[in-house]
Amino acid sequence: MTSAPFDVLETDRLLTTTRSVRRRLDFERPVPREVIEEALEVAVQAPTANNQQNWRWVVITETSVKEQLAELFDISWRFHQKEVWTASGRRRNSRQAQRNNDSAAQLARDIARVPVLVVPCVLGRPPDIGAIDTEWLRSRADDAATARDDVRIGAMRASIFYGSIFPAVWSFQLALRSRGLGSTITCMHLPFERRVGELLGIPAGVTQVCMVPVAYTVGTDFAPAKRYPAKSRTSWERWQA
């Protein structure tokens, strides 16, 4: 029996209105555990590199743990502000960038109030691209086809490493959106990955990829963002300036 086609208008509405939600998270409305579990079951159906399915998920709801994470988050955010934002005059002068910065700053202040924090993880550590390329050239010295200076595999290994988890994270966010919840991706805790790992019991050999704050949203009337048309950024057959 052939499955019925999807409602393209509805799926496109879901895909184009799933925003990074920071300002409109409802801190007062509890998020049932079963809703997170349902969304994660959707997430793990995402395509995986080499069918490894090497993702893991850590879900945090305990207030005391979130407060400890918030302390580290705040330190990282203030460092980010000083080292990245204040050094970029072009971004500071962009109204859109300023709105995004203000939104991120509010999340940094309120991160402990978010009902659920999810840390997507990958088993193993990120590939060292430089070391992999060096070893590749050394081991392939006698192979004329692959020993060339313009042949590298480090970037491929890195792409494979992250190629499973981010599709799963996006599927998780879409599943949340379809259930009336909002989320965003943040990496502000990663400078303290080891300390966070100790707090959450995550082994040192596991990579924390990001953090996804989750809450019901204040209203559901999200709209498509202002973007350049895809055709203005797309080349066919060969790169076009």
Side-chain angles (χ1 to χ4, degrees), residues 59-210:
V59 183
I60 304 107
T61 62
E62 293 181 7
T63 300
S64 60
V65 176
K66 289 189 292 181
E67 289 174 346
Q68 292 178 72
L69 290 172
E71 293 177 4
L72 303 177
F73 199 98
D74 179 64
I75 295 171
S76 183
W77 170 251
R78 287 188 282 110
F79 173 81
H80 173 76
Q81 286 287 87
K82 180 179 179 181
E83 297 298 317
V84 178
W85 179 258
T86 58
S88 178
R90 184 175 65 177
R91 284 185 58 80
R92 290 200 311 274
N93 294 328
S94 165
R95 292 180 62 186
Q96 182 175 356
Q98 183 63 61
R99 287 195 298 271
N100 185 74
N101 180 75
D102 292 345
S103 176
Q106 181 169 330
L107 177 66
R109 291 191 296 269
D110 293 330
I111 193 70
R113 301 177 62 199
V114 178
V116 180
L117 302 176
V118 179
V119 179
C121 301
V122 176
L123 300 182
R125 298 302 301 168
D128 184 330
I129 294 177
I132 291 173
D133 287 341
T134 298
E135 176 60 22
W136 167 262
L137 292 176
R138 186 197 64 77
S139 65
R140 308 299 293 181
D142 297 329
D143 188 331
T146 57
R148 297 166 33 143
D149 287 342
D150 62 349
V151 177
R152 298 285 189 274
I153 67 167
M156 179 185 71
R157 295 278 178 80
S159 181
I160 291 172
F161 183 83
Y162 290 107
S164 296
I165 189 65
F166 278 112
V169 171
W170 179 231
S171 289
F172 178 56
Q173 293 185 275
L174 291 171
L176 291 170
R177 161 70 171 152
S178 70
R179 290 163 172 76
L181 293 93
S183 65
T184 188
I185 293 175
T186 179
C187 58
M188 284 295 116
H189 77 291
L190 290 181
F192 299 97
E193 183 185 14
R194 290 186 180 181
R195 205 177 302 179
V196 172
E198 293 174 359
L199 177 63
L200 302 179
I202 300 173
V206 174
T207 299
Q208 301 168 44
V209 176
C210 60

Side-chain angles (χ1 to χ4, degrees), residues 13-20 170 173-174 177 183 222-223:
R13 186 173 75 88
L14 173 64
L15 291 166
T16 59
T17 64
T18 301
R19 307 256 61 83
S20 289
W170 179 231
Q173 293 185 275
L174 291 171
R177 161 70 171 152
S183 65
F222 295 95

